[in-house]
Amino acid sequence: MAYLDGSRLRSWQHLVWMLMTAAGTIRPATVLVLGAGVAGLQAIATARRLGAVVQGFDVRAAVKEQVESLGAHFLEFDLGGDLEGAGGYAKELTAEQQLRQQELMAEAIGKVDVVITTALVPGRRAPILVTEEAVKRMKPGSVIVDLAGEAGGNCELTEPGETVIKYGVKIVAPLNLASTMAEHASQLYARNIQSLLELMISEGALKLDFDDEIIAVIKEAKLKVQAQIQDEQVRVTGKNRDDLQDAIQLLKAKDLDIEMQFTNFRE
């Protein structure tokens, strides 16, 4: 789970909202959110509620409507077609696309007060969206909140888990954000588990519908993991299934319940 609350934005030590007084008008903060998945959309909504002028960016063209529905401007770069991959995540860009993206992004980043990055590619290091050159272009006192810190960070100068100042710009890279709101994270996680169990259980009995998209994906993932475990056990314990079964029995004797890992789905 990913989350951004108003306190992260307050790392920027100025007013976020516009203020009009007899002495003059203070303009609202400008915020650029990179990555419009769950975390990015939450960041956009939070920044808008705090009164900031918000832009959102994502390589997936399909999220433009979602960004604009929250009152933000969608920042578009021509990187060569829609780059949405499996599961709704972004595809990994080619080296040429990454370079083009970084060049265009640096110009946009130099015009805003706060950058919030949330871009992830499953199974890969987080893509570098904010280069050192882009950080140099930002005004002193600006802030980068890198929510991809656990995957290496979207900013070239990010130090995961640390808050650092580079070229006058504060770079915040918090880790394990869910732990900062443990009660709500637990509630949402429990709700996901409940929904999954309701899908798998009917009238008090396990009933797996393999025509259901979610169950089919779980089955496929389980069989892949099972094959990997079996391959690893064979490699470690020897050459045949007897050796593998001996290893399984040994683990069970040590109170390690791995039976489910080696039990095939039954249709």
Side-chain angles (χ1 to χ4, degrees):
M1 175 180 180
Y3 177 79
L4 178 74
D5 62 20
S7 64
R8 301 291 175 188
L9 261 182
R10 287 198 291 273
S11 292
W12 189 60
Q13 297 178 348
H14 301 273
L15 286 175
V16 176
W17 55 90
M18 183 174 69
L19 181 65
M20 300 178 67
T21 74
T25 299
I26 297 176
R27 66 175 182 81
T30 52
V31 176
L32 173 60
V33 179
L34 305 180
V38 174
L41 293 174
Q42 175 65 53
I44 289 171
T46 301
R48 284 287 297 150
R49 284 196 295 269
L50 291 173
V53 175
V54 186
Q55 300 178 74
F57 169 79
D58 201 292
V59 296
R60 301 164 299 162
V63 303
K64 176 180 180 180
E65 184 178 347
Q66 299 173 34
V67 170
E68 293 178 340
S69 71
L70 294 172
H73 171 71
F74 187 71
L75 189 63
E76 294 184 84
F77 300 140
D78 184 8
L79 299 176
D82 188 11
L83 296 170
E84 182 169 356
Y89 285 92
K91 294 180 182 177
E92 186 174 20
L93 303 184
T94 65
E96 293 77 11
Q97 288 174 323
Q98 289 180 8
L99 181 59
R100 175 64 174 162
Q101 181 187 61
Q102 290 171 356
E103 290 173 348
L104 295 171
M105 193 71 70
E107 182 178 351
I109 288 172
K111 299 177 181 178
V112 300
D113 302 308
V114 179
V115 176
I116 301 170
T117 71
T118 69
L120 294 170
V121 177
R124 305 275 186 169
R125 188 205 182 282
I128 297 296
L129 302 180
V130 184
T131 61
E132 182 175 358
E133 179 60 32
V135 176
K136 290 180 180 179
R137 294 190 184 191
M138 297 183 75
K139 297 184 293 292
S142 299
V143 173
I144 297 171
V145 181
D146 193 342
L147 298 185
E150 293 191 35
N154 294 138
C155 177
E156 189 174 7
L157 301 179
T158 286
E159 296 181 18
E162 303 294 335
T163 297
V164 297
I165 297 178
K166 304 287 186 179
Y167 305 107
V169 177
K170 181 182 289 187
I171 304 173
V172 184
L175 301 179
N176 194 15
L177 283 172
S179 68
T180 66
M181 42 169 280
E183 178 180 354
H184 300 304
S186 297
Q187 288 173 347
L188 296 175
Y189 178 71
R191 176 56 182 165
N192 280 340
I193 297 299
Q194 178 185 346
S195 298
L196 179 61
L197 292 175
E198 288 175 349
L199 187 63
M200 300 172 66
I201 297 175
S202 177
E203 298 180 353
L206 182 65
K207 185 176 181 181
L208 302 177
D209 178 9
F210 291 101
D211 292 328
D212 182 272
E213 182 179 3
I214 295 176
I215 298 299
V217 169
I218 293 174
K219 177 183 178 182
E220 181 181 357
K222 175 179 171 58
L223 293 177
K224 286 181 179 178
V225 171
Q226 178 185 350
Q228 291 172 357
I229 293 173
Q230 289 175 335
D231 289 345
E232 179 65 16
Q233 290 287 355
V234 169
R235 185 186 69 79
V236 171
T237 63
K239 309 157 184 172
N240 54 50
R241 185 170 181 81
D242 290 338
D243 288 339
L244 178 59
Q245 293 298 335
D246 289 343
I248 294 172
Q249 293 303 321
L250 179 62
L251 291 174
K252 286 184 176 179
K254 294 182 178 180
D255 296 325
L256 295 177
D257 182 11
I258 62 169
E259 181 178 354
M260 287 299 295
Q261 295 174 339
F262 295 89
T263 301
N264 290 326
F265 276 99
R266 299 183 182 274
E267 297 191 33

